[in-house]
Amino acid sequence: AIVIIAINPGRQFSQARNAQRWNDVNAVLNAIHQYAVDNNGSVPAAIDSTPTNIGSAGADKNLCALLSPTYVSSMPFDPTNGSFTSCAAYNTNYRVSKDATTGRVTVAAPSAELSVTISVSR
């Protein structure tokens, strides 16, 4: 029993998924930053102050055509409940918003595990 507790494969899988989420959030934020660099400092117009899912559904922020494949090869998605088949049908399960005062863009992973908060702003 002590060996199982020490190894704890469930926790290790959760940590690995969180590491993937950190990489994905940074990849999306870097792609948005590169888009802004190429567009005179303007981030995609769809990004506003409301944290909204990045995806192709009606209420989502559809950033795929603006970012992929120029700034990111394909849209990253959450390892447990996101999906990407094409820009026509995807759900990253990551959220994006822009601070109305500072203009800083934040990308977050709301499905992070182990009580970890994954959110990066730039």
Side-chain angles (χ1 to χ4, degrees):
I2 293 173
V3 172
I4 292 173
I5 292 170
I7 295 174
N8 196 349
R11 180 172 173 77
Q12 290 179 345
F13 284 128
S14 294
Q15 288 173 326
R17 287 188 295 269
N18 278 346
Q20 181 65 49
R21 290 180 180 103
W22 276 109
N23 288 333
D24 289 350
V25 163
N26 279 305
V28 171
L29 195 56
N30 286 338
I32 292 169
H33 178 71
Q34 286 300 318
Y35 174 93
V37 167
D38 287 350
N39 290 278
N40 299 319
S42 297
V43 299
I47 301 173
D48 59 23
S49 60
T50 304
T52 308
N53 189 60
I54 302 169
S56 60
D60 293 348
K61 301 296 182 190
N62 193 344
L63 303 177
C64 186
L66 299 174
L67 303 179
S68 176
T70 305
Y71 305 107
V72 64
S73 60
S74 66
M75 291 302 289
F77 58 90
D78 187 89
T80 56
N81 55 11
S83 64
F84 181 84
T85 53
S86 71
C87 284
Y90 75 102
N91 175 17
T92 64
N93 204 42
Y94 297 128
R95 293 190 180 150
V96 65
S97 63
K98 179 176 76 171
D99 186 282
T101 305
T102 64
R104 291 172 57 104
V105 175
T106 300
V107 179
S111 297
E113 300 169 70
L114 303 173
S115 300
V116 174
T117 299
I118 298 176
S119 179
V120 180
S121 298
R122 184 173 312 140

